Amino acid sequence: MTVSVSPACSPRRTLTVCGGAHALHDGFTDLLNVLYPLLQAQFGLSYAAIGALKTVYSGAMASGQIPSGLLAVRLGPVRVLAAGTALIAVGYGLAGLSGSLYGVIAGLLLAGLGGSTQHPIGSSLVSAAYAGLRSRTALGTYNFTGDVGKVLLPALFAVVAAALGWQQALIIVGALAVLGAGIIMGSLRPIPLHDKAGETKSKAMAGQDRPWAYWLLFSIHIADDLVRTGFMIFLPFLLRDKGADLPTIGLGLSLLFAGGAAGKLVMGWVGDRLGVVTSVILTEVATTVLILTLLPMSLSGALVLLPAVGLMLNGTSSVLYGTIPEFVSPERRTHAFAIFYTGGSVAGATGPLLSGLLGDAVGLPIALASVACIALTTVPMVWALRPAFRDG
């Protein structure tokens, strides 16, 4: 299954609209990290319970990604992407209007299903719209836009929640999702999805199928996501323990995501010059060192360090996503992207729950140090990937 971009929809418009959708969806996902401490305070939740809430959202996102790709073939990717964005609004609106823990759980389930539409459809549209090696650059830009949303929406949510309460803040961001769905429908022309390879080989990077390399890349991605989601569960509580109030927690998350956004641009540049293997090893080792350095620091020192943590924590992902087209032929690419993002969502669903259980058992500092060390497991896997690039 692959994607054909209609001539009526230019590559630049495709990238702009898909990038905007990416910013909204990633922002909607990561503002939940501001919400979790508020829910813990209101409902008396443990770290494991917070992890379970994250599992509900990420699990719904994981289960919906491959079906979203299949549904897009029948209904069209623009309709499915817009409908998914609107479903996020329904989920957040339900959680905000109910104000109960069960309402929050149901809302996160719906919002996660809505969020499952964006990554496989958006990345496939972008990779099809840009030819040859331009595909990696375009995917890097698309990946970067997600962090723009991660910077802006959690900070906005924190300010609104501090002023009006978390329920009203969820309703307001739900209204933004409705606006986003309307923009998607109004800006993108209907774009067909096909199962035929010949229609897109001229447009997309003509990658060669290397299943072993793809699955090794997939495994690196899983480990990288386990570190990222585990760190994100604990960071708001770490900042709170250092004396941060709600707006400061929102600021800390925005600083982290701003560093992550810069990392996706910087590491794309570094990856082109140093190669995928060297750049990924650099980011993963640095991630472990920086998180361990963060633990004993004061609040002000932690806020200063967070952009660097974000740069290394998120810099790996652009390199990984942008490498998929090299290991997968065009006719298999949409399905490959869906599997890749589904794996990340499964890691995002299980990682927080496991991290939360670990945090309850051994305490936040030891649990966070353990999460940081998971990044080191990617080093031998990345090293084993070298022959795939030599063969290419």
Side-chain angles (χ1 to χ4, degrees), residues 40-64:
Q40 185 192 47
Q42 179 160 340
F43 299 114
L45 304 177
S46 66
Y47 288 131
I50 293 295
L53 287 178
K54 176 67 174 174
T55 296
V56 169
Y57 184 91
S58 298
M61 183 179 290
S63 64

Side-chain angles (χ1 to χ4, degrees), residues 5 8 16 62 84 110 135 162 167 170 197 233 246 254 256 270 287 312 350 363 370 389:
V5 178
T16 300
L110 292 175
S135 177
Q167 292 177 245
L170 283 177
I233 280 292
L246 183 59
S254 293
L256 180 80
V270 171
T287 293
M312 294 301 171
T350 57
S370 301
F389 297 104

Side-chain angles (χ1 to χ4, degrees), residues 152-166:
L152 298 179
L153 284 181
L156 173 64
F157 181 80
V159 171
V160 176
L164 302 178
W166 64 267

